[in-house]
Amino acid sequence: MQICVVALGKIGLPLAVQFADAGHSVIGADIDERVVGLVNDGVAPFPGEYQLAEKLAACVAGGRLRATTDTAAAVAESEAVVLVVPLFVDAEGIPDFAAMDSATRAVAAGLRPGTLVSYETTLPVGTTRERLGPMLAEGSGLEPGAEFSLVFSPERVLTGRVFADLRRYPKLVGGVDESSAVAGVKFYEQVLSFDERADLPRANGVWDLGSAEAAELAKLAETTYRDVNIGLANQFARFADSRDIDVKLVIEACNSQPYSHIHQPGIAVGGHCIPIYPRIYLWNDPEATVVRAARAANAAMPVYAVDLLEAAYGDLSGASVLVLGAAYRGEVKETAFSGVFPTVAELVRRGAEVYVSDPMYTGEELEAHGLPAHRGEPVTAAVIQADHAEYAALTPGDLPGVRVLVDGRRVTDPGAWDAPGVRRVVIGG
């Protein structure tokens, strides 16, 4: 097959490589000339994705993958088009469709009869059928379902492990009509392979959910569930703190039964997905009070972590505080909606002298993100914001003069911090 992947970001480029690695001919389209140039040179434009660099180089060298800034021309050459264009949401939860609309118009300009168009970007329910389908029809003169196939098939992967996740999780597909769904299932069966999983209700593979709307809701539901579950865990943790209960022991006990799957509490919920997709769901369903309350509970956790620090340390005015971890989660060099930003802001608001360090970032990179880089200054308090593996071995000796550590991810060894004049605090502990 000839396939076009639109938007060569942290999900789109691995997808393009996956398709090419499966033996197909792939054109990646992106508006960023730098990204296009690097891809055509066989060089990954971002670090951290396992196996991407070597797979990309092999696919480009083998002539199975190339990139262009001309989306319409790439679509005109292709039998299938997959879009992974970002959809942004503002502070009020209102989606910004500008990038998606622009990409859709470019696709429409090159669309031919018989082509499959698949949207993988997480979208509000109804967007594929009610917004994007008509836009494609207007720009191409072709009727969705009748003259080209249109499906929604959400990406369900995490950066850093995209290729493994593509094999592990069923590929969900929903069409705007039955023929589109059939075409979508056939396409993904040709470009993906799946691990055997005895824990699933049916064989791992491509699952037809019956409609584009069902597939859109499935992605929003699975990510919103995680936010709500973490929000509940954080509520339990805050109550446990008020009663001197170790919430970790409580959660382990609860999860010993198959009916309980309580997640872990923590200082922040970050990344491109969990903080954002519940807002998209709320845009569809503004009366979802449980979702709204959970989002508010999770958004409040950085301030709560600073509350814990202040309770253990005393007045933070003038205190030198090191925030450990700029990334939104361990081992991923990405700061999207990271808890580092509200944590630093709250510490500054309380008068602290704040520094940030992260083993994945240079001081210059941190400062480019507007974060005050730590360059060896003495500190008297510290807050762990990201669960990097390096922090598991952290001891007071690594931070001379530190009086209080708030371990927002419970990654440190309690025994290592059982030292005179030093206090370790955890959320829910």
Side-chain angles (χ1 to χ4, degrees), residues 409-424:
R409 302 292 184 180
R410 284 198 185 222
V411 294
T412 53
D413 179 2
W417 286 83
D418 186 13
V422 179
R423 184 174 176 189
R424 171 183 177 268

Side-chain angles (χ1 to χ4, degrees), residues 1-4 25-27 66 68 70-81 110-112 115:
M1 268 188 300
Q2 183 80 30
I3 304 167
C4 174
S25 180
V26 181
I27 309 174
R66 58 187 172 90
T68 180
D70 192 338
T71 300
V75 171
E77 294 183 45
S78 302
E79 303 162 64
V81 181
L111 194 59
R112 299 178 304 161
T115 303

Side-chain angles (χ1 to χ4, degrees), residues 196-238:
E196 290 188 14
R197 287 183 54 187
D199 61 316
L200 298 176
R202 49 181 158 140
N204 196 5
V206 185
W207 292 6
D208 180 4
L209 294 197
S211 69
E213 290 78 9
E216 289 165 338
L217 178 57
K219 178 57 187 284
L220 292 177
E222 68 185 16
T223 46
T224 299
Y225 160 79
R226 294 172 65 193
D227 197 45
V228 170
N229 195 317
I230 296 168
L232 182 62
N234 280 328
Q235 291 287 290
F236 289 155
R238 295 178 71 149

Side-chain angles (χ1 to χ4, degrees), residues 324-389:
L324 294 156
Y328 76 84
R329 67 176 170 90
E331 316 315 312
V332 173
K333 192 175 182 180
E334 177 59 71
T335 61
F337 297 93
S338 171
V340 71
F341 299 109
T343 300
V344 167
E346 184 61 19
L347 287 166
V348 169
R349 192 187 72 79
R350 299 193 194 193
E353 183 71 27
V354 187
Y355 307 99
V356 178
S357 68
D358 189 301
M360 304 191 78
Y361 288 85
T362 66
E364 291 73 20
E365 287 173 326
L366 292 173
E367 288 168 354
H369 285 290
L371 298 170
H374 184 240
R375 300 185 184 277
E377 296 87 349
V379 297
T380 53
V383 178
I384 293 181
Q385 191 285 136
D387 54 341
H388 290 311

